[in-house]
Amino acid sequence: RCLSDWSSDVCSSDLLAAVADARSKDKRSVYIDSTDARQREIVASYTIPAAVWKSSYRLMLGEKGQPVLEGWAIVDNTTGEDWNKVQLSLVSGRPISFVSQLYAPKYVQRPSAELADDNAARPVVHDEAFQSSMGALAAGGGGRAVPAARTGVVGGIMPPPPPSAAARQFGASAGLSMDAMMVAPSTIVASASAGELGELFEYRIAQPVTIRKDESAMLPFLQQAIEGRKLLIYSDHSSQHPTNAAELTNTSGKTLDGGPITVYDGGAYGGEALMETLKAGDKRLISYAVDLGTRITDAYNSKTAVIREIHATRGIITTKSAMEETRTYTIRNVDQKAKTLILEHPLRGGYTLLSAKPAEKTASAYRFEIQLAAGATQEFPVAEERSIEQTYQVSNSTPDFLLTYVQNRNLTLSDAARRQLQRIADEKSQIAENDRALQDAQGQVSDLTRDEDRIRQNINSLNNVSSQQQLVQNYAKQLDAHEQQLAQLRDHQAELQKKRTALTSELDGLIAALAF
């Protein structure tokens, strides 16, 4: 609705938008005062945030020759003003940078809690190898890119898009000929010069570029053949199939910022991958499709733990044993062509590799390189050994437990150590036998004591009956015999207790002297 008292045709919505814009919190007023009457020329400069530039790549693989890698920089102009023929610098690195709110008042905010979202599956980003079969260390990757303070991009430069899903599925029947689906390197020449910028890496665009506000553009910064080879990677053990992959070595002499890669194999769309920032001379694996022509299954087999070392000191026995585990991978190549497979086997703490030496080692896996013949099936066993260290208190161990070490001839145990353990086991057996005798004597004493209590009750009940005096006298004789047996048993208990004290003292001495 337009305002009726205004001469100009201004609607209320436009007025409200103008008022809201005038009250924008993003605007600040700067006042400059002059303290005298002299005229001056003042130059004011300011900085505004710019969106981070992004990288997108095309990798073209062929049966022969080196792969060709094309890099495209995606830059967004969100500054609110046009960039007209500006010099553009693209900087790759990961400096520590943050925003601190110094102008606005600070309040303590309560956290916001939400339920986690169900996210889609992510692409695989393979770990960097830090050790090869030659023991060499690979250089670390860089970081995300940061833009220069003032950047711009020439608009309208876009790489050819990958074929649609329908075209990939139906081919020429979807209205596209096979020739139309073949992809060749781009005819646009990358004109960016590259160089180190402190700890960062810079791509400087040769020609001035232009991009209007709130628009984006893509700019080629790389088109170069690099060292690489096609292979398969088996890293997801929940699947029976490995992935089609490429091993890329950055021989471009430039730092390649991380980003998505569209892979073309033999001129046709092959799949997509993600790549982390790749320094010059670094090597990385990328996976871009599932290879349905190769199937992999595995099976476990473990052996009984074997004691490798045994030591004793101050009454403590320490054993070091090892248990061998073998994971056998059965690999079937259905296709009638030879393949190279990189098999990733999990790296587990406490396990030592016994089988063939891996080609590479990452922070979480061993990488074995296997050559697969056409249409063949082969087994690849990976044997590992897990070390187990256990300690035992000799004083708490049974004689049978100690005798297992004495009688085990596979242990590297000296004859003197076996004699020490045998004496301790014998001493423990004597103490155990003495304890059983003590327990039997205590049982007899308890039985006689209960019987005496019964006899005394009978005597007390018959003392007042004149006709039962003979029976009372018989009970009295039984009570006297019980007392004599109790006296003998108590003397025997005392002897057994004395013997136990002597045996325990001797055992303590043997345990204290145990050392091998």
Side-chain angles (χ1 to χ4, degrees):
R1 185 173 59 85
C2 295
L3 299 180
S4 58
D5 55 345
W6 281 35
S7 59
S8 60
D9 189 14
V10 179
C11 292
S12 59
S13 59
D14 298 333
L15 175 62
L16 293 176
V19 172
D21 185 62
R23 296 180 178 178
S24 173
K25 295 182 179 180
D26 295 333
K27 293 185 177 180
R28 299 290 182 266
S29 297
V30 179
Y31 298 94
I32 303 175
D33 295 331
S34 177
T35 58
D36 54 26
R38 190 174 62 180
Q39 185 176 3
R40 294 177 175 85
E41 181 178 347
I42 298 176
V43 177
S45 62
Y46 61 93
T47 59
I48 56 176
V52 174
W53 70 281
K54 304 174 287 291
S55 300
S56 180
Y57 297 91
R58 292 199 313 168
L59 177 66
M60 281 151 283
L61 301 172
E63 294 296 331
K64 298 180 180 179
Q66 289 185 321
V68 175
L69 184 66
E70 294 183 350
W72 302 75
I74 306 171
V75 178
D76 306 301
N77 182 2
T78 59
T79 61
E81 61 181 49
D82 294 338
W83 294 342
N84 296 310
K85 295 184 179 181
V86 298
Q87 293 296 325
L88 174 67
S89 295
L90 306 174
V91 181
S92 176
R94 193 179 294 176
I96 297 176
S97 178
F98 56 90
V99 175
S100 181
Q101 297 292 341
L102 300 178
Y103 181 86
K106 187 174 181 180
Y107 302 93
V108 176
Q109 301 291 335
R110 290 181 295 175
S112 177
E114 300 289 345
L115 291 176
D117 295 331
D118 292 332
N119 296 324
R122 298 172 61 90
V124 178
V125 179
H126 295 282
D127 291 339
E128 172 189 7
F130 65 85
Q131 183 177 347
S132 66
S133 58
M134 301 300 294
L137 298 179
R144 287 300 306 160
V146 294
R150 174 83 170 182
T151 58
V153 189
V154 68
I157 303 176
M158 299 291 290
S164 65
R168 293 198 301 271
Q169 182 176 0
F170 300 108
S173 63
L176 292 175
S177 66
M178 294 304 296
D179 291 338
M181 293 175 62
M182 305 299 283
V183 175
S186 174
T187 57
I188 299 175
V189 179
S191 59
S193 61
E196 300 289 340
L197 188 64
E199 297 299 323
L200 307 177
F201 195 86
E202 179 188 35
Y203 289 97
R204 184 176 293 275
I205 307 303
Q207 295 86 10
V209 293
T210 297
I211 182 172
R212 292 184 294 272
K213 66 179 181 179
D214 299 326
E215 292 186 356
S216 302
M218 300 182 70
L219 187 71
F221 65 89
L222 176 72
Q223 187 184 62
Q224 189 170 342
I226 64 172
E227 183 180 336
R229 58 172 179 157
K230 293 167 54 178
L231 40 76
L232 304 179
I233 299 177
Y234 185 63
S235 58
D236 182 8
H237 291 195
S238 64
S239 172
Q240 290 188 350
H241 302 286
T243 56
N244 290 317
E247 181 186 73
L248 303 178
T249 302
N250 185 5
T251 55
S252 67
K254 306 170 185 178
T255 296
L256 303 180
D257 189 58
I261 300 179
T262 302
V263 181
Y264 295 91
D265 193 351
Y269 176 78
E272 297 176 3
L274 277 179
M275 181 183 70
E276 295 178 330
T277 298
L278 200 61
K279 300 291 285 186
D282 198 3
K283 182 176 66 175
R284 203 62 53 88
L285 297 171
I286 62 169
S287 295
Y288 57 88
V290 176
D291 178 34
L292 300 178
T294 306
R295 301 189 188 100
I296 301 176
T297 58
D298 57 15
Y300 276 101
N301 182 30
S302 61
K303 297 181 180 180
T304 305
V306 178
I307 297 176
R308 299 288 175 82
E309 295 182 22
I310 179 171
H311 304 283
T313 180
R314 296 182 180 179
I316 298 177
I317 294 178
T318 302
T319 62
K320 293 182 179 180
S321 57
M323 183 174 68
E324 184 176 329
E325 293 184 6
T326 302
R327 188 173 186 177
T328 302
Y329 297 90
T330 302
I331 309 166
R332 183 185 178 191
N333 181 11
V334 180
D335 295 329
Q336 298 303 311
K337 62 179 180 179
K339 301 176 182 179
T340 299
L341 172 68
I342 298 294
L343 174 66
E344 288 196 346
H345 179 79
L347 193 156
R348 299 181 291 174
Y351 284 80
T352 303
L353 194 63
L354 300 178
S355 60
K357 193 173 183 181
E360 289 181 343
K361 181 179 178 182
T362 71
S364 60
Y366 298 106
R367 284 178 179 164
F368 300 95
E369 184 168 325
I370 306 170
Q371 300 300 325
L372 304 178
T377 299
Q378 69 180 85
E379 292 185 349
F380 187 82
V382 180
E384 295 177 292
E385 184 178 81
R386 180 166 66 97
S387 299
I388 306 171
E389 183 173 318
Q390 295 176 301
T391 58
Y392 306 95
Q393 290 280 352
V394 178
S395 58
N396 298 332
S397 302
T398 64
D400 293 338
F401 176 78
L402 297 176
L403 289 176
T404 57
Y405 296 124
V406 177
Q407 298 168 0
N408 189 348
R409 295 300 171 181
N410 294 324
L411 291 178
T412 56
L413 200 60
S414 65
D415 292 338
R418 295 180 190 275
R419 286 193 297 270
Q420 284 183 296
L421 291 175
Q422 182 69 57
R423 287 190 63 189
I424 293 174
D426 293 342
E427 202 74 18
K428 280 181 167 288
S429 297
Q430 293 184 45
I431 293 176
E433 184 178 352
N434 189 81
D435 289 342
R436 285 193 294 271
L438 268 172
Q439 188 175 3
D440 291 343
Q442 183 61 41
Q444 294 179 39
V445 168
S446 299
D447 292 342
L448 288 174
T449 302
R450 286 194 298 270
D451 203 19
E452 281 188 345
D453 292 339
R454 180 184 58 81
I455 293 173
R456 287 190 179 94
Q457 291 177 3
N458 292 336
I459 291 175
N460 290 333
S461 62
L462 296 175
N463 272 335
N464 298 327
V465 181
S466 58
S467 61
Q468 300 296 329
Q469 291 302 313
Q470 183 61 40
L471 185 57
V472 171
Q473 291 178 3
N474 292 337
Y475 279 140
K477 290 179 181 179
Q478 291 180 15
L479 188 61
D480 182 60
H482 281 20
E483 284 294 331
Q484 292 179 10
Q485 291 181 27
L486 282 173
Q488 292 175 0
L489 286 172
R490 289 190 176 97
D491 291 341
H492 184 54
Q493 279 184 311
E495 292 175 0
L496 291 174
Q497 190 62 46
K498 184 177 179 181
K499 182 180 179 181
R500 190 185 194 286
T501 302
L503 290 173
T504 302
S505 177
E506 187 175 353
L507 176 63
D508 291 341
L510 292 174
I511 292 175
L514 179 65
F516 56 83

